[in-house]
Amino acid sequence: MAATTYANTIWAQVIDPLHDLLVGNFAAVLPIYFDNVTPAKGSEWVVVTPLEDNEVERTQKADTRRYTLRLDYFLRTGGAEGRLTQLLCKRVEQIKHLLFVSGDHDATGAAYYWHDGVVQSVNYEATTDEDKAAGFRRVTITWACTSTEIYA
């Protein structure tokens, strides 16, 4: 019996290109992580977490799936609460706009990654008591996209 081969589609077609997209636009100010970390330095960061992988359609030659990811945006408060809501809203709007204009994403113009990308929700009340005690605020962005893998 031949060994089964597979592609890590969610990573190759969604997570890695999303990382590249975010880094390409926010590299100087917004580190991107894939594990729930609190960096020692920096005033803001994003943690990307896959939530769902749902089959949309399967044919003999292709598989279309709908992926849902959570982007947790963190901002250190530094003890100042005065303009935090304005700063949170500004950065989240920048991320939302980037995801909107990249709804059908091909980073190089030659490679297909996803289509029908949409921000499903933004939760401005995601900050937990633990987050507050650690000195930061959190906004959760739920984003979904569709990707089709063509079998050779």
Side-chain angles (χ1 to χ4, degrees):
M1 178 181 226
T4 302
T5 60
Y6 72 96
N8 189 349
T9 304
I10 190 171
W11 189 267
Q13 294 296 115
V14 179
I15 296 173
D16 198 35
L18 177 63
H19 173 265
D20 293 346
L21 181 68
L22 292 168
V23 166
N25 284 272
F26 300 110
V29 295
L30 194 61
I32 312 300
Y33 299 98
F34 298 102
D35 297 308
N36 196 13
V37 298
T38 302
K41 294 191 244 179
S43 60
E44 55 185 330
W45 65 96
V46 170
V47 176
V48 178
T49 306
L51 298 178
E52 292 185 12
D53 174 348
N54 297 297
E55 187 170 72
V56 174
E57 180 182 23
R58 179 180 293 266
T59 67
Q60 192 173 14
K61 302 269 184 194
D63 185 23
T64 300
R65 306 193 72 78
R66 185 83 174 153
Y67 298 102
T68 305
L69 286 81
R70 184 180 70 228
L71 288 75
D72 287 308
Y73 167 68
F74 293 90
L75 176 66
R76 285 193 200 277
T77 61
E81 290 286 332
R83 292 188 30 199
L84 283 180
T85 300
Q86 180 183 2
L87 293 171
L88 284 166
C89 291
K90 178 182 176 184
R91 181 66 76 204
V92 168
E93 286 300 318
Q94 290 172 331
I95 294 169
K96 282 173 40 183
H97 179 74
L98 176 63
L99 294 172
F100 172 75
V101 299
S102 303
D104 298 324
H105 182 57
D106 59 349
T108 63
Y112 161 79
Y113 293 110
W114 69 68
H115 61 277
D116 296 339
V118 63
V119 172
Q120 294 180 322
S121 67
V122 175
N123 180 1
Y124 286 97
E125 296 182 355
T127 305
T128 65
D129 289 338
E130 184 179 281
D131 294 339
K132 287 179 186 175
F136 53 84
R137 299 261 305 268
R138 174 194 321 224
V139 175
T140 298
I141 301 168
T142 304
W143 177 78
C145 69
T146 303
S147 185
T148 301
E149 179 182 7
I150 307 295
Y151 302 129

